[in-house]
Amino acid sequence: MVSSITSGSSKQRRRSTIQSFFIWLTLGLLIRWVLIEPRWIPSGSMLPTLQIRDRIMVEKLRVRLHQPLPLNSIVIFRPPLALIKMGYDPSAALIKRIVGRPGDEIEIKNGQFWRNGRLVEEPWSSVKINYSMSQITVPEGTVMAMGDNRNASLDSHLWGPLPMENIIGTAVWCYWPLTRFGPTQ
C-alpha cells in the first residue's frame, strides 16, 4: 500500500515538473518571439559603434506595434528585394542606423551627410564619406538605413530606401563583451 502512494506521488511530481518546464519554455519562446532577442554583429559596417562579434539585445515590440522609430535608431532587418536579387539570403539579418524617415530629403555631397538641406553632425563617425549620393526624398513606408562605417557599408545609398515591413527590431543593448556593456545608441 505504501509503495502505490509513493508511486502516485512520484508520478504527480514528475508530471508537475514536465508541465512547469513546458510553461517556462513557452514563456521564454514567446518573450523571444515578441519582445526581445539576442543577436551578434557579423561585419564591420557599424564600426565604431558596434564591433565585429559584439552581442546585442534587439527590442521587437515597438516594430510589432507599428510605432515610429526615431532617427538614429539602430535597426535589424531582413534584406530588401534589391539585395535578395543580388544573391543575399532572404533569411539573413542586417544592421544599420536609420538616417532618414518618410518625407526627409537625404543627400551626400562633399563627403558629408545632409538631411532636409542641413548638414548632419554624426558623432559616431569621424571619417569623411568617400562617395556622393544625389538627393532623394524618402518615400512613405520606408526609411533610409546606413551603416556608421559609411565607406564600408552596403546600405541605402546603394540599394535605396528600406521598407518598414523588413525591420525586425531595434538594437538597444550591448551585453558582450563586458567592456562594451551598455546601451547601443
Side-chain angles (χ1 to χ4, degrees), residues 47-89:
L47 290 169
T49 306
L50 296 170
Q51 304 292 313
I52 297 171
R53 291 188 289 280
D54 276 0
R55 303 299 197 262
I56 59 171
M57 295 305 291
V58 177
E59 180 271 322
K60 300 176 356 178
L61 190 58
R62 191 176 346 171
V63 171
R64 289 191 179 279
L65 295 175
H66 304 287
Q67 297 296 309
L69 299 174
L71 282 174
N72 301 323
S73 295
I74 297 174
V75 294
I76 288 71
F77 58 94
R78 290 179 301 283
L81 188 57
L83 287 179
I84 293 170
K85 286 181 178 178
M86 291 174 15
Y88 256 77
D89 178 358

Side-chain angles (χ1 to χ4, degrees), residues 130-146:
N130 66 8
Y131 59 86
S132 295
M133 184 180 85
S134 300
Q135 187 177 43
I136 179 175
T137 301
V138 182
E140 285 300 316
T142 68
V143 294
M144 289 295 283
M146 295 183 163

Side-chain angles (χ1 to χ4, degrees), residues 10-130:
S10 177
K11 286 181 184 179
Q12 284 178 321
R13 274 186 278 148
R14 199 174 11 242
R15 188 174 319 151
S16 177
T17 301
I18 291 170
Q19 285 175 340
S20 292
F21 171 77
F22 281 109
I23 288 170
W24 282 109
L25 178 65
T26 302
L27 184 60
L29 290 173
L30 188 61
I31 287 171
R32 187 179 193 279
W33 182 72
V34 175
L35 297 177
I36 197 157
E37 74 176 74
R39 296 275 181 153
W40 65 280
I41 306 303
S43 75
S45 71
M46 289 300 292
L47 290 169
T49 306
L50 296 170
Q51 304 292 313
I52 297 171
R53 291 188 289 280
D54 276 0
R55 303 299 197 262
I56 59 171
M57 295 305 291
V58 177
E59 180 271 322
K60 300 176 356 178
L61 190 58
R62 191 176 346 171
V63 171
R64 289 191 179 279
L65 295 175
H66 304 287
Q67 297 296 309
L69 299 174
L71 282 174
N72 301 323
S73 295
I74 297 174
V75 294
I76 288 71
F77 58 94
R78 290 179 301 283
L81 188 57
L83 287 179
I84 293 170
K85 286 181 178 178
M86 291 174 15
Y88 256 77
D89 178 358
S91 65
L94 305 172
I95 185 167
K96 306 289 180 221
R97 184 180 297 273
I98 293 178
V99 298
R101 295 186 302 186
D104 285 342
E105 294 177 349
I106 304 298
E107 181 178 17
I108 296 176
K109 61 182 178 183
N110 301 320
Q112 296 175 310
F113 178 74
W114 295 74
R115 181 174 43 240
N116 299 324
R118 293 190 176 118
L119 178 63
V120 177
E121 295 298 323
E122 298 179 300
W124 50 80
S125 180
S126 60
V127 178
K128 187 174 181 178
I129 301 170
N130 66 8

